[in-house]
Amino acid sequence: MPQLARRLFALPPELEGAARSWFEHGERTPRAARLASSVVLLRDSPTGLETWLGYRPGSSPLGVLAFPGGSLEASDDDAVGWLGPSPQHWAEQMGTADVGLARRHVVGAIRELFEETGVLLAGPDMSNTVEGTSSHEWMKIRVAVADQEKTFTELLAKRGLSVRTDLLKPLVNWRSPDFAHRRFDTRYFAATVPVNQQPSLLEGKGIWGRWVCATKAIAERDTTALGDEVGQENTVGLTLSQLLVPGSEIMLEKMAAANGCIAYLSYKRKPHVYQPKLVEEDGKLMLEVEAAKTVAGVPQRER
């Protein structure tokens, strides 16, 4: 088990009402959490590890800025060509006895990544992946899948493609705080972009998304630079902690501390569920998280 350190995070403005009510009226039964998958896209750059962040309209439990991801869907249970580690192997990696659930999370992760970025972790065999997913034709397919006009598994079967589960790495399991009205139980995965693919925004829905240097984002965490660049009403003037959920910020810290993609992806992580707790500090409600202090042998900077 990794050494854990207590961390405090600001409460996002949209959660303050629910948090205050929960705190004042005593704990109640939390609302059921929706199952979700998210993929941390990674690439090396001269300034360090970069990851793809996108803007999420509304008050998403994944954060205002987040890694690609979203809720699992019923179609994630459909039959699909499968290449790479088996669902049983994934269940063991994710620390669950529910093989079907592990399989759904993996398929959901690959589907969500495709919908939101066009990056497709699929191919005809273990040696190849799809190339050139930036075409107008592929965009039409992404829109159809996002609008649930076609299922992701149908599109793969029609093209003789199978999901390449060997291209995913398990990261961590984060759950939304108990008091939140909209709660996610999210499995995070990591992946690099296959050859001749590039992430892009979903036509008609994507507002902002780009590669972000983890080191730079963490160095500027107390400024409003990133939020001002996104330029939305609920991002301008906000710091990194106000834009990201604690889980995303901690993952970004670990990327900043890691010595490149290979080091980050090869680091052995044990299955562990992280969940922010509501605490009162000096009369102010905050989120408390116990998070691992190190990554890939590199001590993590304390805040």
Side-chain angles (χ1 to χ4, degrees), residues 41-298:
L41 270 186
L42 298 166
R43 75 176 185 187
D44 286 316
S45 82
T47 51
L49 214 49
E50 292 185 341
T51 189
W52 183 269
L53 285 179
Y55 170 75
R56 307 187 83 84
S59 55
S60 167
L62 292 176
V64 181
L65 295 187
F67 307 111
S71 301
L72 300 190
E73 295 175 358
S75 64
D76 294 332
D77 271 332
D78 294 349
V80 66
W82 186 284
L83 296 167
S86 67
Q88 176 68 47
H89 175 85
W90 275 103
E92 290 165 9
Q93 291 288 302
M94 293 160 64
T96 176
D98 191 336
V99 176
L101 176 66
R103 183 191 176 282
R104 284 174 66 204
H105 272 294
V106 170
V107 175
I110 295 174
R111 174 185 53 75
E112 282 286 341
L113 180 64
F114 173 67
E115 284 180 34
E116 291 193 20
T117 71
V119 172
L120 181 54
L121 305 181
D125 52 53
M126 284 289 283
S127 306
N128 297 284
T129 49
V130 178
E131 294 190 20
T133 54
S134 303
S135 68
H136 178 63
E137 187 60 34
W138 276 108
M139 183 62 80
K140 278 168 54 182
I141 294 167
R142 283 171 63 188
V143 171
V145 171
D147 291 342
Q148 299 188 345
E149 291 168 9
K150 288 193 176 90
T151 69
F152 180 60
T153 46
E154 281 170 353
L155 109 79
L156 292 177
K158 187 178 176 184
R159 284 161 182 77
L161 299 172
S162 300
V163 290
R164 288 280 307 274
T165 74
D166 58 308
L167 300 179
L168 277 182
K169 293 281 184 188
L171 290 181
V172 286
N173 182 189
W174 278 90
R175 288 186 189 148
S176 301
D178 283 343
F179 64 83
H181 292 317
R182 291 177 65 218
R183 301 182 63 239
F184 274 178
D185 184 341
T186 309
R187 296 280 185 167
Y188 285 88
F189 302 84
T192 55
V193 180
V195 67
N196 291 334
Q197 292 192 31
Q198 287 299 329
S200 62
L201 295 178
L202 182 62
E203 203 170 82
K205 293 193 178 179
I207 292 171
W208 179 94
R210 72 165 173 88
W211 289 105
V212 171
C213 173
T215 308
K216 186 170 187 281
I218 294 301
E220 297 176 352
R221 74 197 313 166
D222 296 323
T223 76
T224 63
L226 196 55
D228 293 344
E229 182 199 314
V230 178
Q232 299 297 308
E233 197 177 326
N234 60 341
T235 68
V236 171
L238 298 186
T239 62
L240 196 67
S241 289
Q242 294 168 306
L243 298 169
L244 303 178
V245 291
S248 295
E249 188 174 351
I250 288 170
M251 281 186 270
L252 209 54
E253 287 176 358
K254 293 183 178 180
M255 286 175 227
N259 188 20
C261 272
I262 292 173
Y264 184 83
L265 291 171
S266 59
Y267 180 67
K268 294 282 184 279
R269 297 166 178 86
K270 292 185 179 174
H272 184 73
V273 178
Y274 294 98
Q275 183 179 25
K277 292 178 185 166
L278 187 64
V279 295
E280 190 171 33
E281 292 280 325
D282 301 323
K284 191 177 176 186
L285 290 180
M286 300 191 78
L287 294 174
E288 179 188 276
V289 174
E290 284 193 335
K293 292 173 77 171
T294 60
V295 59
V298 180

